[in-house]
Amino acid sequence: MAVTSFAPPWVVLRQAFRTVAASSSSYLHPTHNLTILPSSPLRHSALRRCHVAEAVKRDVELLLKGVGDQSVAKEVKHILEMARRATSRREVLHTDFLTPPVVKESVSVLGKLADVAVVAQGGYPEAERCRISVGHPDVLTNDPDIVAALSITGNFGFQACSHGNFLGAILGTGITRDKLGDILVQEEKGAQVLIVPELVDFVVTALDKVGNVSVTCSKIPLLALEYEPPRTNTFKTIEASLRIDAVASAGFKISRSKLVDMISSGDVRVNWATVTKNGTTVKTGDVVSVSGKGRLKIGEINETKKGKFAVEIIRYL
């Protein structure tokens, strides 16, 4: 009876390795004697995805290069990613209400992309807080209906309420600031508020008082908004520099030392961002706000023959 002998396991493994090495000789590296496995389609696909991701990251960084404020840049980056999703899926996506600096930078950046259509709207001309819609140009062909208006009325003749009073009352119902657009205060008549449409019914039901005044809230068409362009006073000032403490003190007719104190207290903002340094410089188009003093806009700036700056100030009344 024949007896079958089995080789030890390590011998079997050694023979197997030799067989694999011989069959893979065409993949041996000529100098290092290492086995190089043939590239797989999956590996190429992963590499392509990696290269695309790196390219997109570089493009985004390049587009955001001109956005100085990091908090604004972060929001603009999010909107860029939203735009990329919208165009790839051929759908239209919308942001909530954005601050003016984010609106300005987002529209500027998105305008550089050929395959993205962008619409910014706040419910009326010159609206500060706006919503942005993004999508492929073939899909986003008109202004989406994404802004609604409310009228808040009450007996404000006996107790006047400020913008802050109306804002605080609405936020007190539990909604967040980004769901609200501009608030147009109308003195004794109350106020008109821009809001996302999906929260209209909620606010109409929930809002019953502003300050100590009982109110009635109702939806109105955008065409019923009573908006008047702001009144302004334009004048020029000559300054040795474009520092915020120099230009703003001249614009608001207050002492430079007082303005410095207000900067320290966090009461001065440029383009809706709080200023923390007296040496911050301003440029044409900047909007400067000072708590309790109002706001102004920097107009044309020209350098004089003596090396100073002639600055046009547009003061909102």
Side-chain angles (χ1 to χ4, degrees):
M1 181 175 175
V3 178
T4 303
S5 61
F6 292 93
W10 59 85
V11 174
V12 176
L13 287 172
R14 183 176 62 190
Q15 291 175 342
F17 280 128
R18 286 176 177 172
T19 301
V20 172
S23 63
S24 304
S25 59
S26 59
Y27 300 115
L28 293 178
H29 194 281
T31 57
H32 297 291
N33 198 33
L34 296 175
T35 302
I36 308 299
L37 297 177
S39 299
S40 68
L42 289 176
R43 181 168 177 270
H44 279 308
S45 178
L47 286 173
R48 282 196 297 270
R49 287 196 299 270
C50 181
H51 290 323
V52 169
E54 290 176 355
V56 169
K57 182 179 179 181
R58 287 195 300 269
D59 289 344
V60 170
E61 290 175 349
L62 184 61
L63 287 169
L64 295 176
K65 192 173 182 180
V67 183
D69 189 303
Q70 291 304 308
S71 62
V72 172
K74 184 178 180 180
E75 292 195 57
V76 175
K77 182 179 179 181
H78 173 72
I79 296 169
L80 276 172
E81 293 169 350
M82 179 187 294
R84 187 175 62 186
R85 292 197 306 271
T87 54
S88 64
R89 300 172 184 174
R90 285 187 170 268
E91 60 184 2
V92 177
L93 297 176
H94 318 287
T95 69
D96 286 325
F97 283 99
L98 306 168
T99 61
V102 175
V103 173
K104 177 183 176 182
E105 296 292 354
S106 297
V107 171
S108 175
V109 169
L110 291 169
K112 299 174 184 177
L113 305 178
D115 60 342
V116 177
V118 55
V119 174
Q121 52 182 328
Y124 68 100
E126 305 298 328
E128 293 183 352
R129 295 176 61 84
C130 295
R131 299 186 72 182
I132 287 180
S133 302
V134 290
H136 192 278
D138 293 341
V139 180
L140 183 54
T141 56
N142 51 31
D143 294 355
D145 185 16
I146 58 170
V147 179
L150 294 174
S151 174
I152 303 174
T153 58
N155 194 0
F156 294 103
F158 291 95
Q159 182 181 350
C161 287
S162 66
H163 179 283
N165 295 136
F166 285 100
L167 176 60
I170 298 170
L171 297 183
T173 64
I175 69 174
T176 56
R177 184 67 177 97
D178 56 3
K179 301 299 182 181
L180 293 175
D182 291 354
I183 298 176
L184 306 176
V185 179
Q186 300 176 299
E187 305 299 338
E188 296 181 0
K189 296 171 63 177
Q192 295 176 330
V193 181
L194 285 305
I195 189 172
V196 294
E198 56 268 26
L199 288 179
V200 166
D201 292 340
F202 170 76
V203 175
V204 167
T205 303
L207 186 65
D208 57 3
K209 185 171 288 189
V210 175
N212 293 321
V213 180
S214 296
V215 299
T216 299
C217 189
S218 59
K219 182 179 179 181
I220 59 174
L222 294 178
L223 291 176
L225 289 171
E226 297 178 9
Y227 168 74
E228 294 182 3
R231 294 180 298 115
T232 60
N233 177 34
T234 302
F235 58 93
K236 287 190 176 182
T237 179
I238 306 296
E239 303 297 332
S241 74
L242 296 175
R243 288 168 54 111
I244 181 66
D245 54 357
V247 177
S249 61
F252 290 106
K253 309 293 185 183
I254 57 178
S255 70
R256 190 163 178 173
S257 59
K258 184 174 182 179
L259 190 80
V260 169
D261 291 339
M262 299 185 79
I263 291 175
S264 301
S265 301
D267 293 327
V268 180
R269 293 169 296 281
V270 174
N271 297 329
W272 293 269
T274 301
V275 174
T276 58
K277 297 180 180 179
N278 304 337
T280 300
T281 57
V282 295
K283 63 183 182 301
T284 297
D286 283 348
V287 175
V288 182
S289 306
V290 175
S291 298
K293 300 294 182 182
R295 60 178 177 165
L296 58 79
K297 187 174 183 179
I298 307 298
E300 187 178 354
I301 299 174
N302 294 303
E303 190 170 355
T304 68
K305 293 180 179 180
K306 296 183 178 180
K308 294 187 176 183
F309 298 94
V311 184
E312 181 184 42
I313 303 290
I314 304 170
R315 177 81 181 270
Y316 293 92
L317 303 177

